[in-house]
Amino acid sequence: MGINKLEDLKWHEHDIAIPKLSTNQAEFLFRFYRDLERVRIDTLSCFGNVISCIQRFSNERVAVKILPIPQDQIINGIPSSILNHASILKDLDHPNIVRLLQVVATEEDVYLVFENVNLNLERYITNPMLSIDTLERSVLRQALSGLAYLHSHNIVHADIDPFSILFKYTLEEPPVVKLCGIRAPKTSTSQGHPSYKAPELLMGSTNYSTAIDIWSMGCMFAHIIKRRPLFNAIEEHRVLAEIFCLLGTPTEETWPGVSSICKFIQAFNPPIQPKDLAEEFPTLEPVGLDLLSKMLCLCPNSRISAYEALDHPYLRH
Amino acid sequence: ACGLTNKPKEIVDIDAADVNNELAAVEYLDDIYKFYKLVENESRPHDYMDSQPEINDKMRAILIDWLVDVHTKFELSPEALYLTINIIDRFLAISLVSRRELQLVGISAMLMASKYEEIWPPEVNDFVCLSDRAYTHEQILIMEKTILGKLEWTLTVPTPFVFLVRFLKAASVSLPSSDLALENM
């Protein structure tokens, strides 16, 4: 097995440019792994290459993510962003969080070895062969359970989108949801897709609270029910407009303090009225609509928490 | 029989003032501290001195005193100091270290702890200078990787600091004035 084999690596998603492996990276990988296959299972915002491969000594399939140490930082050893990232992930142990098995540092790169996962939510939803109907609740419950675990560890995910919710298949059991794309708290500036961003962030707040994850998860919930994204715009202000169209504009009564975050909110006079969610989601039963409306609550302080959501009648039974 | 006979009538909710502060994550505080308490024992190193042929308690004390000085010189946060000491003790509990290398372990531990805790951590060259060039740049970086490997990259640990902050809050000590107090604990 030589390095020339590298050219045969399969590319799963052609639209995303992934940098080539360096000679040292290739040597490292081929020494410890075989059957390399390039995949993109992480969020758009995540840096680095992800390679699915089989560990030579254990014959286990894993996903190796390569974090190159920037040239100008090699002089100070492991960069603090990577140190934080790896050590926080290493600490997380929950069935619905993608498990970091091992970390290996060389002079130029840090390799994160994760448990292998099969595909992300976006692909899961768009594949009609996977009968998602029976799994809506299960997917949401598992994802929220992973999120509650993160929040109880004082970690805000800040980038929840269809690419950060992954699925792992086992032979007989239903697929297991695995959250990925978790970054270090110090670097938590959301670069995620704007259509999953909470309204307070879109309005310019820099308050990265646990509530922003619940909003994104609410968008995911709607996405699963509708089979397409709830909000579609790419520019942040257009997403905000879409949110207001669906859920109405917030007022000082419904969201105390909103006018201090967003100066123009008082220009909506009279405020836009929210649409009836039952009409927007005709297939969702009332108890599900109730949970959705609590997750997509405009005011972050009144938004349901992950634990409360798990205890909601829609998910309880 | 030895329990409290006079339980306080009302337990004061020390987080009541932060309920509307989303960043204080009040609703998760109980869980966060339950978790800290749970892993506190796992991450606490056992008494390792008997297994170290070349170093003893006194040398460790000298090292820590020196690191407290370095910590002050770099104006690092108290979190970084507590984490440095935790890293040193966990590493010494599982690896034999020569007398000559003890300070190197301390330097690399502080380098890692400040990368973990600080926004602007000191550079490796700063440590080389402060240790009067006792160790080279390269030695510090190799030791950093050795320690990370031995500790399996586990740096997210509850140090006494996280509990002290909570106790101080319960004792209604405002934090700015307590920075000094924390240093002395």
Side-chain angles (χ1 to χ4, degrees):
Chain A
M1 180 101 45
I3 292 159
N4 52 349
K5 264 277 198 183
L6 264 185
E7 299 310 315
D8 303 334
L9 287 184
K10 279 181 263 171
W11 290 75
H12 275 204
E13 291 195 24
H14 300 273
D15 50 337
I16 290 124
I18 301 177
K20 280 197 161 188
L21 292 180
S22 74
T23 320
N24 285 342
Q25 289 171 348
E27 267 175 19
F28 175 88
L29 284 171
F30 279 100
R31 189 147 46 121
F32 297 106
Y33 304 97
R34 61 183 171 81
D35 296 352
L36 275 67
E37 207 172 304
R38 249 185 256 226
V39 284
R40 216 195 69 85
I41 53 170
D42 257 335
T43 61
L44 289 167
S45 55
C46 265
F47 42 120
N49 254 336
V50 177
I51 288 162
S52 166
C53 46
I54 292 175
Q55 217 154 16
R56 286 187 189 278
F57 61 89
S58 68
N59 284 329
E60 189 184 348
R61 186 162 274 284
V62 292
V64 180
K65 182 157 155 183
I66 307 174
L67 306 179
I69 302 175
Q71 276 300 322
D72 58 337
Q73 290 177 40
I74 283 182
I75 186 161
N76 283 310
I78 317 279
S80 58
S81 55
I82 296 181
L83 195 81
N84 260 282
H85 183 69
S87 107
I88 283 164
L89 286 177
K90 195 78 209 326
D91 197 41
L92 301 176
D93 186 7
H94 186 275
N96 300 120
I97 310 272
V98 69
R99 183 98 186 89
L100 177 58
L101 305 168
Q102 198 192 354
V103 187
V104 186
T106 64
E107 298 240 314
E108 293 160 8
D109 304 281
V110 176
Y111 298 81
L112 305 183
V113 185
F114 290 96
E115 66 175 320
N116 192 50
V117 287
N118 303 83
L119 75 173
N120 65 43
L121 184 67
E122 182 60 36
R123 286 169 156 270
Y124 194 82
I125 290 174
T126 49
N127 186 337
M129 297 304 287
L130 303 164
S131 69
I132 198 155
D133 302 77
T134 55
L135 290 166
E136 281 161 4
R137 280 172 219 244
S138 162
V139 168
L140 186 63
R141 192 185 295 118
Q142 294 185 58
L144 277 167
S145 153
L147 195 58
Y149 178 83
L150 285 183
H151 289 175
S152 71
H153 281 61
N154 218 356
I155 295 170
V156 176
H157 187 296
D159 271 333
I160 289 174
D161 63 14
F163 298 101
S164 59
I165 299 180
L166 311 176
F167 289 84
K168 181 165 185 154
Y169 292 141
T170 46
L171 272 180
E172 279 133 23
E173 280 159 49
V176 181
V177 171
K178 303 272 178 185
L179 293 186
C180 79
I182 298 144
R183 289 170 304 134
K186 250 207 294 195
T187 58
S188 276
T189 46
S190 172
Q191 294 147 6
H193 200 286
S195 40
Y196 300 89
K197 258 191 194 179
E200 62 270 27
L201 297 182
L202 294 171
M203 288 173 175
S205 164
T206 48
N207 196 343
Y208 287 90
S209 71
T210 52
I212 65 169
D213 288 341
I214 299 294
W215 176 274
S216 311
M217 204 56 98
C219 296
M220 294 308 315
F221 182 17
H223 189 151
I224 296 169
I225 301 293
K226 273 182 172 295
R227 305 283 194 279
R228 57 188 161 82
L230 178 61
F231 304 117
N232 298 293
I234 295 161
E235 299 99 332
E236 299 206 342
H237 67 279
R238 288 191 199 278
V239 178
L240 202 55
E242 281 186 279
I243 292 175
F244 290 164
C245 269
L246 180 68
L247 301 162
T249 40
T251 60
E252 272 298 317
E253 284 83 59
T254 60
W255 179 347
V258 66
S259 42
S260 64
I261 305 174
C262 183
K263 297 277 181 270
F264 63 80
I265 207 73
Q266 275 152 339
F268 291 96
N269 196 11
I272 301 170
Q273 289 305 308
K275 284 188 186 157
D276 183 5
L277 282 183
E279 278 174 31
E280 298 294 315
F281 298 89
T283 57
L284 188 58
E285 56 187 294
V287 67
L289 287 169
D290 183 67
L291 176 59
L292 182 63
S293 67
K294 285 175 171 156
M295 294 177 80
L296 294 179
C297 168
L298 290 173
C299 171
N301 278 332
S302 315
R303 212 171 288 150
I304 198 167
S305 74
Y307 278 121
E308 288 162 353
L310 284 169
D311 199 35
H312 189 277
Y314 180 70
L315 295 178
R316 219 186 293 152
H317 51 81
Chain B
C2 59
L4 284 176
T5 44
N6 291 321
K7 283 188 181 164
K9 285 193 186 69
E10 223 177 276
I11 296 173
V12 180
D13 180 6
I14 58 172
D15 299 312
D18 293 329
V19 165
N20 287 322
N21 177 1
E22 297 149 45
L23 286 187
V26 167
E27 57 198 296
Y28 292 106
L29 271 179
D30 278 349
D31 282 320
I32 292 169
Y33 275 90
K34 253 182 225 158
F35 166 72
Y36 285 158
K37 196 78 197 97
L38 190 76
V39 293
E40 188 195 15
N41 285 330
E42 296 167 22
S43 61
R44 191 166 27 199
H46 62 88
D47 188 0
Y48 51 79
M49 271 313 169
D50 289 342
S51 62
Q52 292 282 358
E54 283 198 32
I55 48 181
N56 57 37
D57 295 346
K58 199 160 176 244
M59 293 176 201
R60 179 187 176 280
I62 295 169
L63 174 71
I64 304 295
D65 282 347
W66 180 74
L67 286 171
V68 170
D69 282 347
V70 175
H71 171 264
T72 317
K73 214 161 265 170
F74 285 145
E75 299 177 356
L76 302 176
S77 63
E79 287 96 320
L81 179 62
Y82 281 87
L83 182 57
T84 305
I85 297 169
N86 175 286
I87 293 171
I88 294 171
D89 284 331
R90 276 193 297 145
F91 183 69
L92 291 182
I94 50 174
S95 316
L96 285 188
V97 171
S98 66
R99 195 174 303 175
R100 171 85 187 89
E101 276 188 324
L102 184 62
Q103 193 186 9
L104 177 63
V105 171
I107 291 170
S108 294
M110 185 164 270
L111 173 69
M112 286 153 55
S114 40
K115 281 180 187 174
Y116 186 85
E117 295 286 359
E118 306 289 332
I119 294 168
W120 303 107
E123 299 194 340
V124 176
N125 277 337
D126 301 332
F127 284 103
V128 175
C129 292
L130 262 182
S131 63
D132 296 320
R133 308 194 175 273
Y135 308 100
T136 64
H137 191 109
E138 201 189 359
Q139 279 177 306
I140 295 175
L141 291 188
I142 291 172
M143 183 55 81
E144 178 186 44
K145 289 198 178 73
T146 309
I147 296 176
L148 281 172
K150 278 278 182 189
L151 301 185
E152 296 183 333
W153 289 69
T154 303
L155 300 183
T156 310
V157 288
T159 63
F161 181 80
V162 298
F163 295 104
L164 283 173
V165 171
R166 195 75 184 139
F167 297 153
L168 286 171
K169 184 168 186 188
S172 344
V173 182
S174 63
L175 266 178
S177 67
S178 64
D179 254 11
L180 201 81
L182 279 175
E183 299 275 346
N184 298 328
M185 278 181 183

